[in-house]
Amino acid sequence: MPEGSRAAPRDDRLPSPDASRAAPRSPSAGSSRRLAELTRRREALLFDVEQGELAAAESNPWSDRIALLEETLQTIEADRATLDVVPSEPAWPVPPVPVESVTVSADEPASIRFTINGEPFHYAEEIDWDQRGGAIVRGDLQRQQGNIANIVPAETPDEQREPLERHLAASLLTFATDLRDRALEGQPLPENPTLRDLASPCPDCGGWRDWAGRCATCAERDLQRRGLHAEAVRIQDERAAEAETRHRLIERLPVSRRRLADAEANLVALQDQGP
């Protein structure tokens, strides 16, 4: 630099921003919320449209489930029809062996004794005790003596001996309970009871009826029928619900498509507005 000249002062300050160039604005909170709402609505409507189109297709999950439910109903109907089939081999007929030496004591605890084909039986009330140690009777009768296998007729087929023994065990308890109740109520005892009265043939299913005229096989079948009926009603309701859901989705499909188009248009318009 020549002697005597002076350097211009240096200005280290940054230039002032151009007022004509405004900084980009961030989207407002209201716009962000609106954008999020429209996005969520579009996704929900898109799902409705996809579900409706799937339901309208020839192959769809609802029809598949309905077909499976129909197969289940057919199985239930087959099971119900099986219950109505009478066994080809009826239960073995029991001879009219007399029930002898019947004695009933209504005292507490009650006691019932009788003999069938030389086999003595004794039933007595089960004694219960209260918390104070006093005896409480009028409980269930318990077999104290008697082997039921000894009164099963010798000619009974092997495959029916055990079922007949189980039946007689229940029927004998019913018989003893009836004798006790008659004695307590002052009613006369039955005249000339026999083993056949304890296992009479059931005309409905071919099994045995007990002393009270009840057939355990028929009772079991009735219980199964009620269970199958309840299951069939449940399956039918489920089938109807599947069909209703598919019908509703198909019916709402045009409306869902229009709403989806509106939501997408609003979304595009909001995005075009910029920040």
Side-chain angles (χ1 to χ4, degrees), residues 176-194:
T177 302
D178 181 48
L179 295 180
R180 180 199 64 181
D181 294 345
R182 286 171 180 257
L184 290 173
E185 297 171 4
Q187 297 181 6
L189 298 180
E191 297 182 1
N192 305 320
T194 68

Side-chain angles (χ1 to χ4, degrees), residues 122-144:
H122 176 212
Y123 287 81
E125 285 179 332
E126 182 180 19
I127 300 178
D128 198 0
W129 301 88
D130 64 14
Q131 296 180 353
R132 299 180 180 179
I136 300 178
V137 291
R138 296 281 85 90
D140 294 333
L141 291 174
Q142 300 293 326
R143 176 157 48 92
Q144 307 294 330

Side-chain angles (χ1 to χ4, degrees), residues 7 17 27 43 56 146 174 207 222 262:
E43 292 175 352
T174 302
D222 288 341
D262 292 342

Side-chain angles (χ1 to χ4, degrees), residues 54-70 239 242-243 246 250:
L54 180 61
E58 182 177 355
S59 177
N60 59 84
W62 295 273
S63 296
D64 293 342
R65 285 192 289 269
I66 289 174
L68 290 175
L69 293 171
E70 300 240 356
R239 180 184 61 181
E242 293 288 347
R246 180 176 182 239
I250 296 175

Side-chain angles (χ1 to χ4, degrees), residues 21-200:
R21 298 179 59 189
R25 295 174 299 172
S26 60
S28 65
S31 297
S32 297
R33 285 196 300 269
R34 178 60 176 163
L35 181 62
E37 291 173 359
L38 285 174
T39 301
R40 287 194 298 269
R41 177 168 175 77
R42 177 187 177 280
E43 292 175 352
L45 290 169
L46 181 60
F47 176 79
D48 291 342
V49 170
E50 290 174 347
Q51 289 291 101
E53 291 175 346
L54 180 61
E58 182 177 355
S59 177
N60 59 84
W62 295 273
S63 296
D64 293 342
R65 285 192 289 269
I66 289 174
L68 290 175
L69 293 171
E70 300 240 356
E71 292 179 5
T72 303
L73 285 173
Q74 293 176 2
T75 301
I76 291 175
E77 286 301 318
D79 292 342
R80 292 169 70 172
T82 301
L83 291 174
D84 295 332
V85 176
V86 177
S88 57
E89 295 183 3
W92 186 257
V94 178
V97 178
V99 179
E100 302 173 311
S101 305
V102 178
T103 60
V104 181
S105 173
D107 297 335
E108 298 181 356
S111 176
I112 299 93
R113 295 179 182 272
F114 51 85
T115 301
I116 302 177
N117 199 26
E119 182 71 19
F121 286 88
H122 176 212
Y123 287 81
E125 285 179 332
E126 182 180 19
I127 300 178
D128 198 0
W129 301 88
D130 64 14
Q131 296 180 353
R132 299 180 180 179
I136 300 178
V137 291
R138 296 281 85 90
D140 294 333
L141 291 174
Q142 300 293 326
R143 176 157 48 92
Q144 307 294 330
Q145 182 183 10
N147 189 345
I148 297 176
N150 292 339
I151 65 173
V152 175
E155 62 275 13
T156 304
D158 293 340
E159 65 275 10
Q160 295 200 28
R161 292 189 66 85
E162 184 177 350
L164 179 56
E165 187 174 338
R166 289 198 306 268
H167 172 83
L168 287 174
S171 188
L172 282 170
L173 178 59
T174 302
F175 175 65
T177 302
D178 181 48
L179 295 180
R180 180 199 64 181
D181 294 345
R182 286 171 180 257
L184 290 173
E185 297 171 4
Q187 297 181 6
L189 298 180
E191 297 182 1
N192 305 320
T194 68
L195 185 62
R196 179 174 293 175
D197 296 327
L198 299 170
S200 59

